[in-house]
Amino acid sequence: MKELPVAGPAYRPSGRSDFPPEGTYVNKQELIDSVSTQLGHSKRDVTNVIETALDELKRAVARGEKVALAGFGVFQRHDRKARTGRNPQTGETVQIKATKLPKFRPGAEFKAVVSGAKKAAPAKKAPAKKAAPAKKAAPAKKAPAKKAPAKKAPAKKAPAKKAPAKKK
C-alpha cells in the first residue's frame, strides 16, 4: 500500500473532508502482485486475466448491460437526462447535455465485509505441487546421436491455370 501525497492540512483535491481515506490505497500493480503470489501464477498471466476482465466489464456496461458479480456488486450504466442548470458565477441558465455514467451498487457481502460485520474470507491458496516420487537409479544410458537438421526444399510454384478459350 502506498501513502497519498499530502500538501498540507487543507489539501483536499476532491473537496471531501474524508479524502484520502486513511491515507492509503491499492493500485492495479499491487493487486496483480497479490493475486499472483496467492495463486502461484506468473504476473504476466494474472495481468492478462485482470486486464481482460476489466476490459470486458467496461464494454458490457458501455453496451447498457448489467454486470453482476455475486457477493461483490453490480455494475451498470446510468443514463442522465438533459437538464437545465445554472452557472454559479453569473447565475445564467445553461443547458446540460444528456450523458451516460457508470454506476456501482455494492452487494450485501461486500458491504458486510467493509462495515466489519463479517470477516473477509481468507484467500484460497494455490494447490501445492506434489513432487514426483523418487525413482530408483537406473543404469546410465548413452545419449542418442544428434541428427542433422533436415534441409528444406525450395518452394515450388503451382502452374497458373489457363483461362478457357473464348468462343467467337
Side-chain angles (χ1 to χ4, degrees):
M1 299 215 181
K2 295 181 181 177
E3 296 219 9
L4 291 174
V6 178
Y11 179 70
R12 291 189 192 109
S14 66
R16 294 175 29 192
S17 61
D18 62 341
F19 182 85
E22 300 176 22
T24 58
Y25 66 98
V26 176
N27 63 23
K28 191 189 303 183
Q29 189 58 50
E30 290 171 341
L31 178 67
I32 290 167
D33 292 344
S34 176
V35 171
S36 68
T37 56
Q38 287 178 21
L39 297 180
H41 290 283
S42 71
K43 288 182 184 179
R44 177 177 287 159
D45 291 343
V46 173
T47 301
N48 288 339
V49 169
I50 289 176
E51 290 287 339
T52 304
L54 291 176
D55 187 53
E56 186 56 35
L57 188 139
K58 290 176 206 172
R59 290 173 192 255
V61 171
R63 288 189 301 261
E65 299 173 6
K66 284 185 180 179
V67 179
L69 303 175
F72 186 71
V74 178
F75 295 89
Q76 62 191 33
R77 185 174 78 188
H78 177 71
D79 296 328
R80 190 180 280 176
K81 295 178 183 176
R83 62 192 194 280
T84 305
R86 290 200 178 270
N87 181 336
Q89 290 181 336
T90 63
E92 178 184 344
T93 59
V94 180
Q95 286 298 319
I96 301 171
K97 295 179 184 177
T99 186
K100 297 169 184 154
L101 300 169
K103 185 176 180 183
F104 174 70
R105 196 173 66 237
E109 186 179 338
F110 185 48
K111 286 181 188 178
V113 170
V114 171
S115 70
K118 182 177 180 181
K119 287 196 173 192
K124 295 179 183 177
K125 299 223 175 188
K129 294 180 182 177
K130 294 181 181 178
K135 294 182 180 180
K136 293 182 181 178
K141 294 181 182 178
K142 290 184 179 180
K146 290 186 178 180
K147 295 180 182 177
K151 292 182 180 179
K152 291 186 178 180
K156 294 181 182 178
K157 292 185 178 179
K161 292 184 180 179
K162 292 185 178 180
K166 291 183 181 178
K167 293 182 181 178
K168 292 185 180 181

